[in-house]
Amino acid sequence: MNLQNHKNSIQENGFTVINNIFSNEEIEKMSEVIQNIDTSKETFRKSEDLFAIRQFLKEIPEINELIFNENIKMIIKEIFGEKYFVVKSIYFDKPEKSNWYVAYHQDLTISVDKKIELPDFGPWTTKQNQFAVQPPLNILENVFTIRIHLDDTDENNGALKVVLKSHSKGIYRPETIDWTVETESICNVEKGGIMIMKPLILHGSNRTTNGKKRRVIHIEFSDMELPEELNWSERGVFEKMN
């Protein structure tokens, strides 16, 4: 696996796709674990168009060993860096008949353990006792996101579309996108493959049109310490596995 090319692509374009990271058997095991969970918890969100689990690695600890296989560990170490740890995780299931689409946006918040007043941190949101805040730009620029695909995904079942190189332009309001200069790319990913992206890349997804589901495990990583008493809300999962 030539990871240097992927590292260069993330730096230059804001994302890369690497297929064949998980075997069919590993994906089936993950699917099985997810199917057998109690979905009544308040961190779970269920509708006709979307099923999501926040704090996924905390809620489903038995899946961690399946996710952090040798391929993923090598990718984290060689592309991100030696000291990167998990800071956020979500599971998304976009069902076959989903009408759910996501407009272009950047991921501008981090999940933390409490709300405290800090310079340059804000605005804040709280959902189900979970705290999210927009941090200073340097913290967002440091984060890498891995999206693990449990299904083949293309433009017909909600593959992410991105604006190339938009991750390097700071806070970029989607309403100001100038399509005469920007280039859109569709990120097709095979079942068992991953997409790695920088959260500041402008990204969105279309409605499903081919009757195929799209299940994705979204995990964010950083190696930065937060100021004062503030802590990343999901830190510790990956550190324990190393």
Side-chain angles (χ1 to χ4, degrees):
M1 211 188 306
N2 181 359
L3 294 181
Q4 189 56 50
N5 287 350
H6 292 292
K7 192 172 182 175
N8 296 346
S9 175
I10 297 164
Q11 281 171 345
E12 190 179 330
N13 295 317
F15 79 99
T16 195
V17 171
I18 316 177
N19 286 313
N20 303 311
I21 294 302
F22 297 93
S23 67
N24 275 339
E25 190 186 357
E26 287 173 307
I27 294 294
E28 291 317 312
K29 282 183 182 165
M30 285 187 215
S31 302
E32 210 172 293
V33 170
I34 293 164
Q35 275 160 6
N36 292 327
I37 54 182
D38 169 12
T39 59
S40 62
K41 295 183 181 177
E42 59 176 22
T43 43
F44 297 7
R45 171 185 162 192
K46 204 160 192 176
S47 71
E48 278 181 23
D49 282 334
L50 176 70
F51 173 48
I53 304 172
R54 294 177 184 280
Q55 300 202 16
F56 178 65
L57 299 177
K58 262 189 184 176
E59 292 285 6
I60 324 286
E62 59 270 35
I63 208 158
N64 296 335
E65 282 181 24
L66 296 170
I67 287 174
F68 294 107
N69 67 7
E70 290 311 310
N71 286 340
I72 287 287
K73 285 180 179 176
M74 183 168 68
I75 284 164
I76 292 166
K77 195 170 152 188
E78 294 193 19
I79 295 184
F80 305 174
E82 291 275 357
K83 297 190 166 69
Y84 270 73
F85 47 85
V86 171
V87 296
K88 184 177 184 174
S89 61
I90 311 173
Y91 168 74
F92 293 110
D93 178 352
K94 201 173 189 181
E96 298 88 328
K97 297 187 173 68
S98 179
N99 245 343
W100 188 64
Y101 88 104
V102 180
Y104 266 115
H105 67 287
Q106 295 173 301
D107 292 340
L108 293 176
T109 63
I110 58 170
S111 295
V112 292
D113 64 336
K114 62 175 91 63
K115 181 176 179 178
I116 53 175
E117 290 306 313
L118 284 172
D120 302 321
F121 279 75
W124 287 80
T125 56
T126 309
K127 281 181 197 163
Q128 295 143 343
N129 226 10
Q130 296 180 65
F131 304 96
V133 64
Q134 184 169 327
L137 196 60
N138 68 313
I139 293 177
L140 291 172
E141 287 172 339
N142 171 261
V143 171
F144 287 90
T145 300
I146 292 181
R147 291 169 59 89
I148 299 166
H149 284 250
L150 306 186
D151 303 289
D152 287 324
T153 310
D154 60 22
E155 65 276 13
N156 300 311
N157 65 332
L160 278 196
K161 48 187 186 176
V162 300
V163 178
L164 289 178
K165 306 181 191 299
S166 53
H167 68 298
S168 57
K169 299 182 180 180
I171 305 297
Y172 191 153
R173 299 294 169 202
E175 60 274 15
T176 67
I177 297 173
D178 180 354
W179 289 113
T180 61
V181 296
E182 299 292 18
T183 307
E184 178 178 277
S185 181
I186 305 282
C187 306
N188 294 353
V189 187
E190 293 171 10
K191 174 181 174 178
I194 64 170
M195 175 188 176
I196 302 173
M197 68 178 209
K198 300 298 285 178
L200 288 175
I201 195 168
L202 278 161
H203 58 284
S205 66
N206 293 335
R207 293 180 173 86
T208 297
T209 57
N210 66 356
K212 291 182 180 172
K213 60 165 61 181
R214 187 208 75 177
R215 295 167 301 157
V216 171
I217 298 167
H218 169 118
I219 310 173
E220 297 175 18
F221 299 82
S222 176
D223 66 352
M224 289 183 88
E225 300 299 335
L226 297 175
E228 297 184 43
E229 322 81 74
L230 200 60
N231 299 299
W232 300 97
S233 71
E234 293 178 60
R235 183 169 183 171
V237 174
F238 179 56
E239 288 173 302
K240 287 187 197 122
M241 304 200 66
N242 278 329

